[in-house]
Amino acid sequence: MAKNDVKVLGAWPSPYVMRPRIALNIKSVNYEFLEEKFDSKSELLLQSNPVHKKVPVLIHDDKPICESMIIVEYIDEVWTSGPSILPSDPYDRAIHRFWAAYVDEKWFAAMKGLRSAQGEERKAFLDRVIEGLALLEEAFGKCSKGKAFFGGDRIGLLDIAFGSFLAWLKVTEKVNGVKLLDEAKTPGLVKWAERFCADAAVKSVMPETEKLLEFSKFLAAKMKGAPPPKN
Amino acid sequence: MAKNDVKVLGAWPSPYVMRPRIALNIKSVNYEFLEEKFDSKSELLLQSNPVHKKVPVLIHDDKPICESMIIVEYIDEVWTSGPSILPSDPYDRAIHRFWAAYVDEKWFAAMKGLRSAQGEERKAFLDRVIEGLALLEEAFGKCSKGKAFFGGDRIGLLDIAFGSFLAWLKVTEKVNGVKLLDEAKTPGLVKWAERFCADAAVKSVMPETEKLLEFSKFLAAKMKGAPPPKN
């Protein structure tokens, strides 16, 4: 068995799948990307993540690790010779973990809610997305301390957690005809998003907005029960 | 400002609040427990956790840390001279974190669902709780490797995450007239639960089942709109 045999089971539109890929890129670890099909699950995925049956899964020397942020912490702990992803100070680590959980459980949950909501409910979700961005703008000021990223001079845990949603944020803006990241209200995040998307560790795994927009239309049609497109 | 001035904002019936308290007990750290009232939130809580406005909050030298499992990891990282709470091996850490997240997001979510569900829905929740315990029995076998706790010879991260729900599990058994932890199906967990509840770090913060049962009745009445009891 090869040492450092690294595979990622994933799917290109998934923000969660981007996370281990960015972390591995930061650590300069070569890995094989095994793309799961949208409408069926591979035997390897079912074996590797029998509880949730979801991507991403990192398979490191035949051992599976599941759940995107747990994988990112694992990568940081195993490949210690590369740049650190978590801050070194325990308080800063707690703050990164807090906002990473907030992004998943509250902020992105609201953005997902927008997909199918109408009327008053839609407005409530949109307000929550916007309020969340205001909180994250404030958190950016505190975490970055005037530097480029939440993690300071380089991409850290919270950059990965939040940044992995940027392509979906752009799609949400297009679909809903709104500007969510905005020079007036979230100037720090606007600049941060540009830097994050241009980073060498991110560029190759960030989906193109137009391609993701097409996928989101397919997803919306599927949720309404329409048959999937032929290719 | 005193070094190692440690406060926990909490409420006695909350399983989440038990977690930092157990972790601090393991590390032999003295702390002040500030009990929040059930029907109002203190100014200190609102200031310390403005995003979620929820207990527990750990306040360490005036700095607030929120979210129970993030607090437990913080405690482990700050008070390094005490026994370790997280396993030392990165893969084992990932496995502990995986099951800790499972317990919160899937298993306890199903147990909470039982509270108000009826008929078919209630049966579905009950099945999920029982299936979850079967998975956790299997995880116990793998994590403990024949030792007393998920963490091996002593209480670790996953023991704290799951064990903090044991009093609520007993209440759920009583309210629903079912046996959930059971010698035939979950023999490992039955013994583990006894050891966990008897541990010196746990005993003083684990609610008595009868007292918690009373509280759960009060909670159920409140959810139905009944006025709270006078004391």
Side-chain angles (χ1 to χ4, degrees), chain B:
Chain B
M1 188 173 62
K3 250 297 189 210
N4 275 347
D5 175 35
V6 182
K7 296 182 180 81
V8 174
L9 309 191
W12 70 266
S14 163
Y16 306 107
V17 171
M18 284 187 64
R19 294 169 169 179
R21 301 182 81 185
I22 295 170
L24 290 167
N25 288 346
I26 288 173
K27 300 284 187 175
S28 303
V29 174
N30 291 323
Y31 66 93
E32 189 181 354
F33 184 62
L34 302 172
E35 179 94 33
E36 286 288 315
K37 287 189 185 133
F38 182 71
D39 48 3
S40 67
K41 293 176 196 287
S42 72
E43 207 42 53
L44 185 59
L45 174 60
L46 297 175
Q47 277 168 19
S48 308
N49 190 359
V51 175
H52 302 301
K53 304 176 181 69
K54 278 186 181 165
V55 291
V57 179
L58 178 81
I59 304 182
H60 179 209
D61 290 339
D62 290 336
K63 289 189 290 187
I65 299 108
C66 306
E67 301 280 61
S68 64
M69 294 312 295
I70 293 174
I71 299 173
V72 170
E73 294 218 26
Y74 174 83
I75 290 168
D76 199 33
E77 291 171 3
V78 167
W79 286 280
T80 48
S81 62
S84 288
I85 293 171
L86 269 92
S88 57
D89 176 73
Y91 186 72
D92 293 339
R93 293 160 83 98
I95 297 297
H96 271 234
R97 286 174 176 143
F98 173 85
W99 286 111
Y102 171 81
V103 161
D104 276 4
E105 291 159 24
K106 301 284 173 184
W107 180 75
F108 189 64
M111 201 158 83
K112 257 171 81 175
L114 266 179
R115 273 189 212 160
S116 52
Q118 300 291 335
E120 280 304 301
E121 196 191 23
R122 190 182 162 282
K123 195 184 166 309
F125 278 127
L126 196 59
D127 287 348
R128 277 166 52 192
V129 170
I130 293 167
E131 282 159 25
L133 289 174
L135 288 176
L136 288 160
E137 173 76 17
E138 203 184 314
F140 179 71
K142 285 184 191 162
C143 290
S144 67
K145 296 168 187 130
K147 294 184 175 171
F149 297 105
F150 284 94
D153 288 322
R154 56 179 178 241
I155 288 175
L157 184 87
L158 179 51
D159 296 281
I160 296 174
F162 183 28
S164 59
F165 289 123
L166 283 172
W168 277 105
L169 182 69
K170 286 176 197 160
V171 166
T172 305
E173 289 184 327
K174 279 182 184 276
V175 169
N176 292 276
V178 287
K179 195 98 189 100
L180 296 168
L181 276 193
D182 149 298
E183 277 292 353
K185 288 186 187 156
T186 55
L189 292 183
V190 169
K191 290 266 177 298
W192 163 79
E194 280 168 22
R195 283 189 293 264
F196 183 81
C197 294
D199 193 277
V202 175
K203 225 165 25 181
S204 63
V205 296
M206 178 68 75
E208 286 167 30
T209 310
E210 286 307 315
K211 195 179 163 196
L212 196 61
L213 182 63
E214 281 312 303
F215 177 78
S216 88
K217 286 176 186 166
F218 156 65
L219 209 63
K222 206 178 148 72
M223 279 166 73
K224 283 183 187 149
K230 286 215 170 121
N231 57 13

